Amino acid sequence: MWLLMFASSVMLMLASELKDAVCAFKQSAGLDSTQTSVLVIDLKSGERMVDINSSLPLIPASITKCVTTATLLEKVGSKFRYETPVWYTGGIHDGVIKGDLVIQASGDPSLNSTHEPGSSDIVAEITDALNALKVSEIEGTIIIDENDFPGPAINPTWHKGDLLHAYGTGTHGFNFEDNASGKRSVASPAAVFKSRLRGALANAGISIGSASVDADGRRHRLGEHRSEQIDEIMRSCMMRSDNQYAEALLRGVGLHYGKSGSTAKGAEEELKYWKRHHADMEGVRIVDGSGLSRTNRITANFMSDVLRHMAGNPYYASFFPLAGQEGTLKKFLVGTPLEGEIAMKTGSMSGIQCYAGYKLDSEYAPTHIVVVMMNKLSNRASARAALQKLLLAAFDEQY
């Protein structure tokens, strides 16, 4: 009896301390408590340990990527690989292709990417395949078939100031070398690819025309480029917060769920998917895959429903950077008892700081959901420091 009373007293004391920590967080300099949402949920009991404005729709920034990756992973599985077929038309006669080279876009964001998990060189693969067939001339030209991926490469809701930068580059059916040149965006990755391929073919002694040849219309398979597994691509996307990768993944949602690889179709199918799985859709609006759009709106309730649904997937939780150790979370909670025990995706814009992910056990399995969205920040550093104190209090850690 005494032990029960003692345990009850301890629980009440901890609850009081956490309540005080929540009040202190709300009053912290640097954040607007009316535009801030925090939700911490115990996955086993379902208890909402911290709940601040969990139904408030806010701009999510890059934690939108959590939803994008989850939706496509549910459909294609972790072992999926993008396959980019290469064809030629017109047949081969005495070493001459009597038609065109046709590359059928797959939506792969990692073609010749400089980022992990990397990519074999599609230009070299095509050149080697032509050499193996002893091709010396292509009468036609290079055609990129992007018919499965309609719609603009640039989301119309993105801020114009972002579009010149690599992080604001467009996403196409055919992507190449991260659709960027250094820190600048590239308007036509297909044109860059064609230039690279023409140069490689010339070096190999293979001539190619500049205009399409009206051949018989039949396609003959030359080969195909295969990406690394999509779980590795998604992990790279989440760790580095790669917008181009995320937008390509959303196009994949549209293609695999709705038969059209447009951004608009991807967003539509994504929302339909989570509605079917009974997520709280009140106030939710998603128009892109990366979170670069400031017209997106997500609630902590919705995000927690997505995270809860995905908590049992052994691949999904591994996409999130570990606090104090990895990716965009490397400087958060570093040196605290929660270092390495919290895995979250970050999202930041001017005046915005967001987090979404899990607390993990010793086996790196999720035990708690953590969602934080802070809009209209006046001091990011102060808000981050206040949040660290709140999370330490929530998990009864001293620092």
Side-chain angles (χ1 to χ4, degrees):
M1 183 68 176
W2 180 84
L3 287 175
L4 288 175
M5 291 176 64
F6 177 75
S8 177
S9 177
V10 170
M11 291 297 291
L12 288 171
M13 181 181 68
L14 291 176
S16 177
E17 289 178 355
L18 180 53
K19 185 177 180 180
D20 290 343
V22 169
C23 290
F25 173 75
K26 289 180 178 180
Q27 295 168 11
S28 299
L31 64 82
D32 181 344
S33 62
T34 69
Q35 293 296 305
T36 296
S37 177
V38 181
L39 187 55
V40 179
I41 299 176
D42 185 321
L43 277 167
K44 186 175 181 179
S45 68
E47 178 192 358
R48 292 187 166 220
M49 299 163 57
V50 179
D51 186 340
I52 303 171
N53 297 329
S54 59
S55 63
L56 179 65
L58 293 168
I59 300 172
S62 280
I63 66 170
T64 306
K65 295 180 176 73
C66 303
V67 186
T68 309
T69 53
T71 312
L72 186 57
L73 183 64
E74 285 283 275
K75 184 67 173 180
V76 302
S78 63
K79 308 303 181 188
F80 172 85
R81 297 175 190 261
Y82 290 96
E83 296 180 354
T84 303
V86 182
W87 314 82
Y88 61 89
T89 61
I92 302 175
H93 303 280
D94 298 324
V96 178
I97 290 180
K98 297 293 186 177
D100 304 309
L101 270 182
V102 181
I103 293 86
Q104 186 173 334
S106 65
D108 183 358
S110 67
L111 275 176
N112 282 50
S113 175
T114 60
H115 302 295
E116 293 294 335
S119 165
S120 56
D121 184 2
I122 188 174
V123 172
E125 289 171 348
I126 293 172
T127 305
D128 290 346
L130 291 171
N131 280 330
L133 293 176
K134 301 186 183 309
V135 171
S136 59
E137 180 184 353
I138 301 168
E139 288 188 350
T141 191
I142 303 165
I143 294 174
I144 309 293
D145 182 354
E146 298 183 90
N147 289 331
D148 288 338
F149 300 90
I154 299 291
N155 193 296
T157 68
W158 286 0
H159 193 280
K160 290 183 179 179
D162 293 326
L163 305 185
L164 294 177
H165 303 282
Y167 69 81
T169 192
T171 299
H172 307 251
F174 185 87
N175 306 291
F176 185 70
E177 294 181 349
D178 305 307
N179 300 352
S181 177
K183 294 184 178 181
R184 308 294 284 180
S185 65
V186 166
S188 177
V192 175
F193 164 75
K194 289 179 182 180
S195 177
R196 296 271 195 280
L197 182 56
R198 283 183 175 275
L201 294 180
N203 289 337
I206 302 172
S207 63
I208 187 166
S210 58
S212 179
V213 170
D214 186 15
D216 58 13
R218 291 181 58 194
R219 289 185 176 184
H220 309 274
R221 198 177 190 92
L222 179 67
E224 66 181 25
H225 173 89
R226 301 188 77 217
S227 74
E228 296 299 317
Q229 288 186 181
I230 200 164
D231 64 318
E232 293 298 326
I233 292 172
M234 288 179 171
R235 186 171 294 109
S236 179
C237 172
M238 293 278 278
M239 288 285 176
R240 297 180 299 101
S241 201
D242 191 302
N243 293 333
Q244 194 269 128
Y245 274 36
E247 294 303 324
L249 296 174
L250 184 64
R251 281 183 176 267
V253 170
L255 185 66
H256 290 282
Y257 284 88
K259 312 301 184 187
S260 171
S262 71
T263 298
K265 189 63 174 175
E268 176 190 338
E269 293 297 326
E270 181 170 89
L271 292 172
K272 285 165 59 177
Y273 178 82
W274 292 109
K275 184 176 181 179
R276 287 197 301 271
H277 284 81
H278 310 294
D280 185 342
M281 308 301 294
E282 187 69 29
V284 174
R285 182 174 189 253
I286 298 176
V287 300
D288 70 6
S290 63
L292 193 57
S293 175
R294 284 179 173 264
T295 65
N296 290 321
R297 293 294 184 274
I298 283 178
T299 66
N301 284 335
F302 168 76
M303 183 62 76
S304 71
D305 286 340
V306 173
L307 293 171
R308 182 185 291 105
H309 181 85
M310 299 300 296
N313 187 300
Y315 297 94
Y316 183 70
S318 73
F319 299 163
F320 293 74
L322 289 172
Q325 298 180 8
E326 294 180 315
T328 56
L329 211 62
K330 196 168 186 177
K331 296 182 180 180
F332 189 71
L333 290 169
V334 65
T336 75
L338 290 178
E339 178 179 336
E341 295 187 4
I342 295 281
M344 295 191 296
K345 177 72 192 75
T346 62
S348 59
M349 290 176 166
S350 177
I352 294 170
Q353 186 67 58
C354 300
Y355 301 89
Y358 303 103
K359 186 179 185 299
L360 308 174
D361 64 16
S362 60
E363 301 295 324
Y364 295 99
T367 61
H368 297 75
I369 290 167
V370 180
V371 182
V372 180
M373 288 187 283
M374 299 182 285
N375 286 192
K376 294 188 177 180
L377 290 178
S378 58
N379 188 312
R380 190 183 307 273
S382 294
R384 281 167 53 94
L387 176 62
Q388 289 184 105
K389 291 180 180 179
L390 176 60
L391 292 178
L392 288 162
F395 296 111
D396 190 28
E397 301 285 0
Q398 301 298 317
Y399 178 58

